[in-house]
């Protein structure tokens, strides 16, 4: 057919085709397809693919494409990167998307870093770390050996672990190398706390002592309790030492002179934990910056003001049950905003401004068997007789665990402790290192659980 005749015929057919109903058009196309050879069908397939399979990611404005990508799960995002170079380029340029998926895994986000490739790499590292937690492959263990009698007191600070033992000694260990840095002769230690220059110990002999690391000399002694001293805390800025005892009292001391400044009464059980901390919130009872003392016995947490020792009265008493039917565990945490304590019913969190219970976490297993090690903004570290557990506090789901040996049990909670805890506020690829957990063993050694290097 000549070109002019063909164009006239095509115009006539097109006009007639447009006048047909949808059903008639479909029937006409079906008939033409049945008459077509492979060459026409291949041509038709290529044209249809271009018309029907639109690359929406290429066509959309970048801001709208980023918005849609936020709805995809991380694995789908990684799969989409393989579709084509353009998709890979768009997805790799979306910083907010990769920051969001990292945050979902419990990673801390530095908003100053706006490099999407960086955050994609962080996601892959975070994914691996969370997989290791699930598969009990995130940690490793080691032991510290050197004491000849039971170790009752532990305290961890900046890579160093102090241990106090019934062998009348205290040792300071480098957790990374396992080397003993200092070893000094003391009394029987029920509790210890240290800094670069000194060690403070509370003893079963009812006294408290302050020792100099470099010489091992006793530089101060505090006498006044009539029962074992189970817990101590101190603040050099305030020149204040506080202690909790089996004589049901809390004492406040001058750290430099050893003089007892005040004795707080009101507890009817052993005081197993005392904690000094600045308030970070305001209420009718305290202001930001005020120093606060918390003391804990078997049933109650008492809140005391520090710095107003004359006629000092308890600001508040907190408990889980009014009839004392539920016991508190000596696992107290206070950051100036929230008080967290584990109990036989679960983990309780109080708002320090209002003293209201704002959260109760009840593990799926028997809560009375669980103890709190440390509580963060994203994760909590818990343990029972057999395992360490990492809980995601946003979902209250256990995301990792680690088997524990038959460690030495302590009702006062002094023979086990958490190590580095900054990762509980969000992992960042650097804080998942060092000590996770330490506990004393029946053979007088110290069992350490440490982070394994990621990847």
């Amino acid at each position: 057919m000549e070109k002019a005749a063909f164009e006239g015929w095509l115009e006539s057919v097109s006009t007639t085709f447009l006048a047909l109903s949808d059903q008639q058009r479909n029937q006409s196309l079906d008939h033409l397809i049945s008459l077509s050879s492979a060459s026409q069908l291949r041509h038709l397939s290529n044209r249809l693919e271009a018309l029907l399979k639109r690359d929406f990611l290429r066509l959309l404005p970048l801001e709208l494409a980023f918005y849609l990508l936020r709805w995809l799960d991380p694995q789908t995002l990684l799969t989409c990167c393989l579709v084509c170079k353009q998709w890979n380029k768009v997805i790799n340029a979306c910083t907010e998307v990769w920051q969001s998926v990292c945050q979902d895994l419990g990673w801390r986000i530095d908003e100053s870093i706006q490099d999407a490739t960086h955050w994609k790499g962080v996601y892959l590292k975070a994914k691996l770390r969370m997989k290791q937690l699930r598969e009990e492959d995130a940690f490793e263990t080691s032991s510290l050996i050197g004491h000849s009698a039971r170790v009752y007191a532990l305290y961890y600070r900046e890579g160093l672990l102090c241990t106090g033992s019934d062998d009348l000694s205290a040792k300071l260990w480098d957790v990374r190398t396992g080397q003993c840095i200092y070893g000094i002769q003391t009394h029987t230690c029920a509790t210890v706390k240290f800094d670069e220059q000194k060690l403070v110990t509370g003893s079963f002999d009812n006294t408290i002592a302050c020792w100099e690391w470099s010489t091992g000399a006793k530089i101060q002694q505090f006498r006044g309790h009539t029962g074992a001293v189970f817990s101590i805390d101190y603040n050099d800025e305030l020149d204040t030492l506080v202690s909790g005892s089996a004589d049901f009292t809390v004492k406040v001391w001058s750290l430099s002179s050893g003089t007892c400044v005040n004795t707080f009464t009101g507890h009817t059980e052993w005081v197993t934990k005392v904690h000094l901390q600045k308030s970070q919130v305001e209420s009718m009872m305290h202001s930001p910056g005020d120093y606060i003392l918390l003391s804990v016995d078997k049933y109650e947490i008492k809140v005391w003001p520090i710095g107003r020792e004359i006629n000092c009265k308890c600001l508040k008493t907190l408990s889980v049950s009014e009839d004392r039917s539920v016991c508190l565990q000596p696992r107290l945490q206070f950051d100036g905003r929230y008080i967290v304590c584990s109990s036989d019913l679960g983990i309780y969190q109080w708002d320090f401004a209002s003293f209201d219970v704002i959260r109760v976490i009840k593990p799926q297993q028997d809560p009375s068997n669980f103890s709190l090690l440390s509580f963060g903004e994203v994760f909590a570290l818990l343990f029972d007789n057999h395992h360490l557990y990492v809980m995601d506090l946003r979902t209250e789901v256990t995301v990792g665990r680690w088997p524990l040996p038959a460690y030495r049990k302590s009702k006062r909670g002094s023979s086990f402790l958490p190590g580095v805890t900054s990762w509980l506020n969000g992992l960042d690829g650097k804080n998942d290192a060092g000590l996770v957990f330490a506990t004393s063993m029946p053979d007088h050694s110290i069992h350490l659980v440490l982070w394994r290097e990621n990847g």
Side-chain angles (χ1 to χ4, degrees), residues 294-400:
L294 266 59
S295 57
V296 184
D297 66 26
K298 189 176 181 180
Y299 300 107
E300 294 177 338
I301 302 170
K302 290 188 178 292
V303 182
W304 312 86
I306 289 293
R308 291 174 277 171
E309 276 72 34
I310 299 175
N311 298 322
C312 180
K313 294 183 179 179
C314 178
L315 297 177
K316 189 71 176 178
T317 298
L318 305 174
S319 63
V320 174
S321 60
E322 294 182 1
D323 62 356
R324 296 189 160 211
S325 59
V326 180
C327 294
L328 295 175
Q329 299 171 4
R331 309 302 306 170
L332 177 74
Q333 186 171 317
F334 176 48
D335 62 1
R337 295 175 299 157
Y338 304 106
I339 300 170
V340 183
C341 191
S342 53
S343 76
D344 289 349
L345 286 182
I347 300 169
Y348 278 71
Q349 184 180 27
W350 287 267
D351 177 74
F352 190 58
S354 64
F355 295 114
D356 292 332
V357 174
I358 58 174
R359 191 171 188 182
V360 180
I361 299 174
K362 296 185 177 181
Q364 294 179 349
Q365 295 92 331
D366 182 1
S368 63
N369 291 330
F370 269 80
S371 288
L372 172 70
L373 280 167
S374 194
F375 195 93
E377 297 173 4
V378 180
F379 300 109
L381 188 62
L382 314 172
F383 75 115
D384 61 15
N385 290 337
H386 306 290
H387 288 90
L388 273 179
Y389 299 92
V390 178
M391 175 183 284
D392 188 327
L393 291 173
R394 299 165 299 178
T395 60
E396 297 185 11
V397 171
T398 299
V399 295

Side-chain angles (χ1 to χ4, degrees), residues 430-449:
K430 297 178 182 178
N431 57 14
D432 53 341
L435 184 66
V436 179
F437 174 76
T439 184
S440 62
M441 300 295 291
D443 64 359
H444 318 318
S445 66
I446 311 300
H447 179 77
L448 305 180
V449 178

Side-chain angles (χ1 to χ4, degrees), residues 11 15 37 45 81 83 87 99 102 131 146 172 176 178 196 207 213 223 282 300 311 322 327 338 382 395-396 403:
E11 181 69 27
T15 303
S37 66
S45 175
C81 287
V83 171
W87 279 42
Q99 285 181 334
C102 289
K131 179 175 181 287
L172 188 65
R176 185 180 61 84
E196 292 86 349
T207 69
W213 279 123
R223 295 182 178 273
E282 186 160 5
E300 294 177 338
N311 298 322
E322 294 182 1
C327 294
Y338 304 106
L382 314 172
T395 60
E396 297 185 11

